[in-house]
Structure formats: structure tokens, C-alpha cells
Amino acid sequence: MKKLSILIAFGALSVSANAALADSTDLADRVINGRYQAVLGDCAACHTKQGGQPFAGGEPLETPFGALVPPNITPDKETGIGNWSEADFIRMMKTGTGHDGIRLYPAMPYPAYSKMSDRDLSDMWAYLTTLQPVKNKVVANQLPFPLNIRLSMWGWNLLNFDPEPFVPDEKQTAEWNRGAYLVQGPGHCATCHSPKSFLGADKDSQFLQGASLQGWYAPNITGDPHVGIGAWSEEDIVAYLKTGSTDKTIASGPMAEAIAQSTSQMKDADLKAIAVYLKSLSAGTADKPTPLKADDGRMVAGGAIYHDTCSACHGADGKGAMPLFPALAGNSLIQQPSAETLAHVVLAGSQGVYTPSRQTTPAMPSFAWRLNDQQVSDVLTYVRNSWGNAAAPVSASDVRDIRGGAQN
């Protein structure tokens, strides 16, 4: 009888130990997946200030309505989310209503995150709870009155936000649906790449067709062959998201941050799914504009500036020399409706993004000291209407506005 009791006790201990091991393994898997969800959501790019502690609060986001600062999302109890519950976190991600009923502004892209599955959000929460708590008080709301009254977001949500889970399209492949989930949900691509209404909501009818963002222009990333990525192969898209460069462009500005913090760390299968989905998107029937004539005064002046300033790197024929100098000829990014990004790069210069797959970071110097507003507008007009390109001319006043913004 004594032996039987010992065997029963031993068996109970074994079952208990195995259950504890299973729970531990499950938690580890959840944390690993949760970290990947944070990568997909590009959380670090917004919530980590340059030179600051990871996830302890970010740089101010300049919106058309004023400045908002991404808050501390480490598990610090005083200044972070240490007093939140998992239910608080999932409700915030799904509805934009945070701890104690505080309403968030849509600069935090909860309209996109609402499409994420509960499992992915639960795993993300599990990961965030493992972070080192950092005491860093952040004043997130820096909007002027009356926009600083968060209750106004009740009305904004009523007009602009209808939380719906992602629903796979049964007519599409599993890969396409995975790409759609990533783009529409955690990747929140529309937050930057879709035009906004006067209230700051995405214009769903112009999904991913390009938008201005903090002095940059997030380009059209639909299948449009002229201003979108219709001429890009799936391999081009994967390479760009993985490395930050292709023979067509080198990432700069906010996109460089997104590649460094997010897409360069994604699984290859997910990048391929994103490429498949984006290539399938139609951007309407906009006609390609007629390029300016070569004898136009702006083209003549811009051509001379290009020959003296740009051709040594980008070539007299605009074909560039990758991996250091991207081609300008036939480049959809050059032909966007807005030349904000181009002007920004010419005036402020640009440094290629470092990624594990592409460790060389080619740079373009600033030409703000050398070229005045009219000269910058002329050379951009020339580039946007040469070698098969066709786009609206750039005005000196447009460049002046960008120059002022770059100096602030």
C-alpha cells in the first residue's frame, strides 16, 4: 500500500511538472510570436525616441492638427502600461479606448490594428510585459484647444471608424489573404499611404494611392503602372522591404525607419505575401500626363543644373548605378503627384538605411547650400519630365515651403 501511495504521488508530481513545462513552453511561444507582432506593427519606430530606451516613448508626430507624442509602453507602473490588464490592451488596440476609458487619437493607428486577431494581440501583450520597465513620463497630447479634449474622439470614431475584424477573401489564395491581413492590419500601410479627409480619416476610395506625411510624400503603392508599383516585380518589392533599396530607389525619411524597425525583420514568406497583395491592387484609370517639351524654359534650366550637379552619379541618361545610385528614368516614385519627398532629399540629403541584408548605406549630400528654390524646382521639373517620365512641374514656392519645414 505504501508503494502504491508513493507511485501515485510520483505520478501526480510528474503530471504537474509536465503541465508546468507545457505552460512554460506555451508562454515562450506566445512571447516569441508577440515580439514578431510588434515587428509587424512597427511599434518600436514610433514608441522609441532616438537615443532613448526601447518603447519608453517616442519623437513627436507632427500632424495637421498639432503634435502628438507616442507614449511609454513599457510595463512601468507609474509612466507606462504596468497597471493595464490584457483586456485593457486588446480593447485599446481594437477600439482606440485605453486604460480607464481614455480615448486615443488615430495617429495611433487603431483603425488598422482593429483588424488584428485576438490571438496576435494577446501574444503582443505577453511580449510587452517582458520588457524592462522604464520610468519615463511622456506628455502625449500636445494638441491645441479644443482638439486636446479627448472626448472629441467619440465623435470622430462615430463618423470615421467602424471596427471590423479581417475577413479573408475566399476567392483569393492563402498567400494573398496573408498579405492583405498584414497590409490592412498590423502593417497599417494606409496610415501613411492613403490620402486623408479634412478630419484626418483615411479615404478608403483612394486606398494606398499616396499621401503627404510630415513634409514627405508616401507614394502610391497600388498596381498603377505609372505612379504605383505596377512596373515592379514581386521580387523588387520583397528586396526593397528587406534591404531598403532596389535599382529603382533607396528608402529615405519615414519609410527608411519602417524598413529598419519592421519590414527588414519580417519573414520572407510574409514579404512575398505583401508583394502579391499590393501587385493585385488597382488604382483606377488616371491617364499619364504629357511630359513638358524639351525646349520649355524650366526644362532647359533644369537640364543644365542636372548635368552639372546630378549626372555624375545618376548618369546623363538617368539610369543610375546601383547599388549606390538609383535610376531616375522611368521611375514611378519620381512621377508622384507631389514632389515633396524629392525636394526634401535634394535640400536635406539622404542616407540609405542599414539592414542586415544590405549593410552599405549610400548617401546623397544636401544641396540646400548650393541651389536656390528656383534652381531646385527647375532640376526636379527636368527629372520628372525626362527619360520617359511625365509629371507636373515643381514650383519655387513648393520648394520654399519644404526648405522652411526642413529647417524647423
Side-chain angles (χ1 to χ4, degrees):
M1 187 66 179
K2 184 176 181 180
K3 290 183 179 180
L4 180 60
S5 299
I6 292 173
L7 287 173
I8 292 173
F10 180 76
L13 287 172
S14 297
V15 170
S16 177
N18 288 335
L21 181 60
D23 288 344
S24 176
T25 301
D26 180 63
L27 178 59
D29 289 343
R30 288 185 59 205
V31 170
I32 291 170
N33 182 55
R35 180 189 179 281
Y36 187 61
Q37 296 308 314
V39 167
L40 294 177
D42 199 16
C43 303
C46 284
H47 291 277
T48 303
K49 188 174 184 178
Q50 187 173 6
Q53 294 295 314
F55 301 100
E59 304 280 359
L61 297 175
E62 297 299 332
T63 77
F65 310 101
L68 290 166
V69 185
N72 181 347
I73 57 171
T74 71
D76 179 66
K77 290 185 178 297
E78 293 183 32
T79 64
I81 59 174
N83 288 322
W84 289 38
S85 67
E86 180 177 328
D88 289 336
F89 177 75
I90 293 178
R91 183 176 64 252
M92 178 272 294
M93 296 288 281
K94 291 274 192 178
T95 70
T97 302
H99 186 60
D100 291 338
I102 294 177
R103 294 185 179 275
L104 276 65
Y105 293 91
M108 190 284 184
Y110 59 85
Y113 292 152
S114 68
K115 296 185 180 296
M116 294 180 68
S117 71
D118 287 348
R119 174 59 189 270
D120 284 346
L121 291 174
S122 178
D123 289 351
M124 185 187 289
W125 169 256
Y127 166 66
L128 292 176
T129 62
T130 68
L131 298 176
Q132 177 68 37
V134 178
K135 184 173 290 187
N136 182 39
K137 185 175 178 59
V138 174
V139 180
N141 185 357
Q142 299 184 12
L143 298 179
F145 179 83
L147 298 176
N148 62 339
I149 300 175
R150 290 183 180 270
L151 184 61
S152 63
M153 288 299 97
W154 177 86
W156 191 95
N157 288 340
L158 188 66
L159 292 172
N160 301 294
F161 177 47
D162 184 15
E164 295 180 351
F166 176 78
V167 178
D169 186 340
E170 295 180 356
K171 297 179 181 179
Q172 299 290 347
T173 65
E175 184 176 49
W176 185 96
N177 277 300
R178 175 63 176 171
Y181 174 76
L182 293 173
V183 169
Q184 297 175 24
H188 62 278
C189 302
T191 302
C192 294
H193 290 275
S194 288
K196 303 295 183 283
S197 70
F198 73 98
L199 290 175
D202 293 346
K203 292 183 178 180
D204 293 337
S205 62
Q206 299 176 49
F207 183 58
L208 302 182
Q209 293 182 29
S212 295
L213 175 73
Q214 294 186 291
W216 298 81
Y217 189 79
N220 185 317
I221 54 172
T222 70
D224 185 290
H226 177 56
V227 294
I229 54 176
W232 291 41
S233 67
E234 292 174 3
E235 290 74 21
D236 288 334
I237 299 170
V238 170
Y240 177 68
L241 296 175
K242 189 76 172 180
T243 70
S245 65
T246 69
D247 61 348
K248 297 173 175 60
T249 188
I250 295 176
S252 58
M255 190 61 201
E257 296 176 4
I259 288 172
Q261 300 283 1
S262 180
T263 62
S264 67
Q265 302 177 45
M266 290 184 188
K267 300 172 183 177
D268 289 347
D270 281 345
L271 296 177
K272 175 67 162 38
I274 290 172
V276 167
Y277 173 67
L278 292 179
K279 288 280 290 180
S280 75
L281 299 179
S282 172
T285 58
D287 294 329
K288 180 177 179 179
T290 301
L292 295 182
K293 295 181 179 180
D295 60 357
D296 184 289
R298 293 162 294 185
M299 293 290 287
V300 173
I305 296 168
Y306 180 87
H307 176 77
D308 291 342
T309 307
C310 315
S311 61
C313 293
H314 293 285
D317 56 4
K319 292 184 178 180
M322 285 300 289
L324 296 178
F325 312 117
L328 306 177
N331 191 326
S332 61
L333 300 179
I334 298 294
Q335 302 173 82
Q336 297 297 308
S338 169
E340 287 173 278
T341 291
L342 301 180
H344 203 292
V345 169
V346 170
L347 292 171
S350 181
Q351 179 79 44
V353 59
Y354 173 92
T355 62
S357 301
R358 187 68 58 84
Q359 299 182 13
T360 300
T361 59
M364 175 172 165
S366 164
F367 289 98
W369 64 276
R370 180 176 175 182
L371 303 177
N372 62 34
D373 295 338
Q374 186 62 56
Q375 290 171 319
V376 173
S377 69
D378 286 342
V379 72
L380 291 181
T381 296
Y382 173 78
V383 167
R384 282 162 59 83
N385 290 276
S386 298
W387 320 297
N389 295 339
V394 182
S395 72
S397 61
D398 291 338
V399 176
R400 188 178 307 115
D401 291 341
I402 299 298
R403 188 189 294 267
Q407 293 173 347
N408 288 337

